[in-house]
Structures are given as C-alpha cells and as structure tokens.
Amino acid sequence: MAVVKIQRPKLGFGEKIYFAALIKGFILTMTHAVKSLLGKSMGAKSLESSGLGVTMQFPEQRWDAQMPDYYRGAPALVTDEQGRERCVSCQLCEFICPPKAIKIVPGEIPSDDPWAKVEKRPKEFDIDMIRCIYCGMCEEVCPEQAIFLRKDYLITGLKRADMVHDKKKLYEIGGVRTGLVNKWNELK
Amino acid sequence: MPDLLLQLAIILFKIVTLTFIVVLPLVPISVYFERRFSAIIQDRVGPNRVGIPLSLLGFKKDFHFFGLIQPMADGIKLFLKEDFTPQYVRKAFYWLAPALTVVPALITVCVVPFGSPITIFGHTEKLVIADIDVGPLFVFAIASLSVYGITLAGWSSNSKFPFIGGVRSTAQMISYEICLGLSIIPVLLYFGELNLGKIVEHQAQHGWLLLPLWQNGQIGLPDMQTALFWIPAVIAFLIFTISIFAETNRMPFDLPECETELVGGYHTEYSSMKFALFFMGEYAAMVIGSAMVVTLFLGGWSAGFGLDPLIAKLGIGGFQIGGLIHLGIFLTKLVGFILFFILVRWTVPRFRYDQLMKLGWVIFFEAALINVFLAALILAAPDLTAVILGTGAVLLIAVTAAVIWVAKTSEAPVKPLRA
C-alpha cells in the first residue's frame, strides 16, 4: 500500500474564529428544542409521539396498534375451533428450546374422551418466562400448530414463581385460534 | 451585648438562608434543568415522572410537578448507595478530596450580592453575607482552592485514569485563572470599585455594563465614553464567560472527566455520597460562576431601565421588601445564565487538550492583556490631550500587531528537516 498523504483542509478566517459555527450550532439546538416542545420534531407524527419530542410515553400510550405481524412476544398454547387443546405433548419444543425454558409432563387422554384417538395431551406445561428468549423455535418446530408466539410483551411478576407460565395461563394468553390444519378431524 | 448577639444572629441567619436555602437548592434545580433541557434539545422527554405518588394513598392520579422531585430522588438514591472505598487508595486524602471541592464553591457565596438592602423595623440589612471590599479577588482566591480537591482526588485514587484527569484539571484551572483575572481588570477599572454590592448599585443607576441604556432613571443612549467602553466590556465578557466554562470544567472544556477517554476522570473511583459531593461542587461552581457573570456584566439584582428605585421603595408598612423582589430578579438572571451553560454543553463538542491550552495561553491571555490597555485608553481619554491619545492608540495597535505576529509564528508548524 502506498502511503497517501492527506492535506488538512485550509480553514478561512471565519472558520478559524469559530464563532459563526457556534452560533449555527445554537440555532440548530434551539430549533430542535422549540420543535420538540411544540411536538413538531421530525418523525413525531409517524412515531405517535406524546407531544414532547418523538417519545411515546409508555404506560399511557402503547405501541400495540403499530406492532408488526411478525412480532415475537410471549409463547402461548392455543385451542382450535372444536375446543380441543392442540398440543399432543410430543415434547419437541421442550427439546429444541435453547434456554430450556419449557417443561412438559405428558398425560394420557382417557378412552371415553371424544378425542381419545389423539392419545396424549400435556398434563403440565410450564414455560419459565425468565429463561425464555423469544426465539420462536418452539413455534417453528411444533408439528401440531399448537404453540405460537403472541404479541404480549408485558410479562412481569414480583416473584420468580410468578414468571412461570403454567398450562392454564398459556391457554389464557393463547385463546382460540381458527384456520389451522385440523388433521385429527373425521374424514368426510 | 444584646446588640452583638443580634448582629451574630443576623449573620448566622443570612448564612443559613442564603447558602442553604437560596444557593444550594439551585444545584439540584440546575441538574434537573440540565436533564430536561438536554432532553428537549435531543427530541426526548427527560425525567417527568417523579412526583408525589398519591395513587399509593388511594387517590386517582399521581402528582408529577413535571418531574421536579427527580433531584430529590437522585439525592436519596446517592445517600442510600454503598459507599465503597477501594483498597489501595490513600485514605486520608481520598476522604478529604470531595469536601475540598464543595467547600470553596460554597464559601464564595458570601460575597455575592443577592438583592438591594431590606428594611425591617427600621433596621436596614444588606442581602449579602460578607460585604467586603475585595469581592472578585476573594472569589478567585477561594474558587481556585477547589483545584486541590480535584488534584487530590486524582492522586489519592491510586489509579491511572483519575490521575490523568486530576493532572489535566490542575493544568487547565491554573491556565484559565490568568485569563479570568486579566479579563475583569477592565471592568474593575470602569467601576473603580472592588465591592460587588457597590458595583451592582452603580449598574442599577448607570446601566448594566453590557446594556448601558439608562442614566439615573432616564432611558436614553449612553455618552461617548460609555458607548466606547462597550467594546472592551464585550471582549471582557466573552473571555470571562468562556474562562468560567473552563474553570468549572464544563462541557466544551471538560477534559478532566471526559468519558470517552478517562472513564469518569478524577471521580472514577468514588461512589455514593462522595461522588455526589464532586457532582455538587461542580454544579455549585457553575452557579457561582453564573452569579459572577451576572453580577459583573449583567447588572446583578437590578431590574434595569430605571425601575430599581421604584422596586426598592415597595413595602408593606414598615417592611421594605423591594430587596426580595430584587433577589427574585437576580435568581431569574442566574437561572437564565445556567440555562445558557446547559445549552452550550449540549451544542459545542469537546475540544482537544492542546486546543484548550492554545486557546487559553495564545489567544485569551493576549486578548485579555490588550483589552486591559484598550479599556485604560478609553477610560483615560477625557483627561488626555489629543497627541498623547493618538500616540497611545498607535502604540496599542503596534502592540496588538506584535502580539498577533508572535502568536502566529509560535504556532507555525515545524518544518521537517528533510522534505
């Protein structure tokens, strides 16, 4: 590599004095200040600002409506149109989960159940939300379309135990999901 | 004897009120302003939540006060944090250093005139703790002591970054004290007075140094001499203000604690309330610096435009409380100047250390010196004959040219021996 000598730019008198640049800077910062006080900062509208700067003030204002479809929030279990819990406790998500946040205890479906041919459903299904990294691998690996990452992002608790989502809580978040492949239905 | 006791009581009362009720709260307030103002400059919100949590007591809404309680929360946090002393520090100096930065800043409060005299029960009292005749000199003498705190902190921490920060700070403060002292000589020449209270009274009657637009209560253009003196006054103001920035280690010159190079500078090894004391000392120095600028150049407590005698006469019965209104005006100006400090901090990028030193020694030192002669010439003009005046002017121009030439040649880049 050849050595490239770079000439520093020659400064004029005005630039050396520096005051003009200072005043320009003051004008710039003060324009920003005035604009942000008036709620007219650049991008304030598209970012749904609170009227001060471009910031949305969280607990009162939420981003929920603008949340993209691919947002990965809390994982949750779903039931389908017939009210069947879709999970068959194959434990693939438990095995794939990188931080080992999922714990499943499989259980048998009694023979007098209308869905007895599915044979298994989870007896317990715990997701430790302290460990969960919201990677979405459980959703990707699930052969039954039973676990989905929802848009819930406010997972809080006062104790570690509060942060473990059990089966009831997971179905509560997940709710009913329609339009999935129902491979266990009777053939017509 | 009761007279002496009364005197003592009044002095104690003034110390407690003016230092701890008027000046010290300005420190957290300026921290709050710093955070809010920088936030709105950067299109953010800033701390606006901390208030009285009424909803904890069952009310529907919290009371926010625009987050004005935030500094109190910060203070409580700093008090409750662990006060960690690293193992290999020089303990005595490590403990002494924070106090040495705060105390000088607070001592200098005592010469600042906060308002015009108050009369209560026929007893007139000046709104200044110590009405001494060496005002600015006292401030410089005491304020320069705070460099010991910073140096000791840097050295006693027994760690490299704080040490570099301490050394930088020492060099910087010593360099800029010269500009600081030289730049106000024209001002002192103009007033012929070192008592800050009398300087402000003079400005109230004859117009502020930077705004000489009234004379004995009459609004009008200044006479020739005052108008001409405006030029050295502005130069002095610029040099003094910028030197104050350097002296208080504020943003364009905050080399002693520049985060990108030195972690936290001289207070890297400090935690909890000891760190808070450094923080407080810095902001207190800023408050005092602003107070000095306001007092010397912007008319101190005077409202200007010939309004001051009217305000001073205001009173309810025997109480003449015009002084308190003047106190309010002074504090308004002070907060305004602090806001200017903050605006500069969030506008101007940091200088390099050699640029800082060059600015101090090559530009400001010479400019302040020439400014002294210029001011002296203007002030002495009425007593001089035209010949002497002309000679003086020519000499001044010659000296200025010589100084500029010396500065330029000393700064010329060294030519390499072999091209």
Side-chain angles (χ1 to χ4, degrees), chain A residues 73-140:
Chain A
L77 297 173
V78 295
T79 51
D80 59 14
E81 296 96 324
Q82 288 101 335
R84 181 179 72 87
E85 38 182 296
R86 293 185 64 92
C87 181
V88 296
S89 63
C90 65
Q91 293 177 300
L92 277 177
C93 52
E94 185 176 0
F95 296 137
I96 197 92
C97 183
K100 294 191 164 61
I102 300 176
K103 201 181 85 196
I104 302 171
V105 177
E108 206 171 328
I109 298 180
S111 52
D112 54 347
D113 194 282
W115 294 105
K117 62 177 171 185
V118 183
E119 289 184 1
K120 272 165 78 188
R121 67 180 167 207
K123 207 193 281 172
E124 280 169 36
F125 197 115
D126 292 339
I127 302 182
D128 190 349
M129 294 312 293
I130 298 175
R131 308 199 88 180
C132 178
I133 57 171
Y134 305 93
C135 61
M137 279 191 167
C138 44
E139 177 180 344
E140 215 168 301

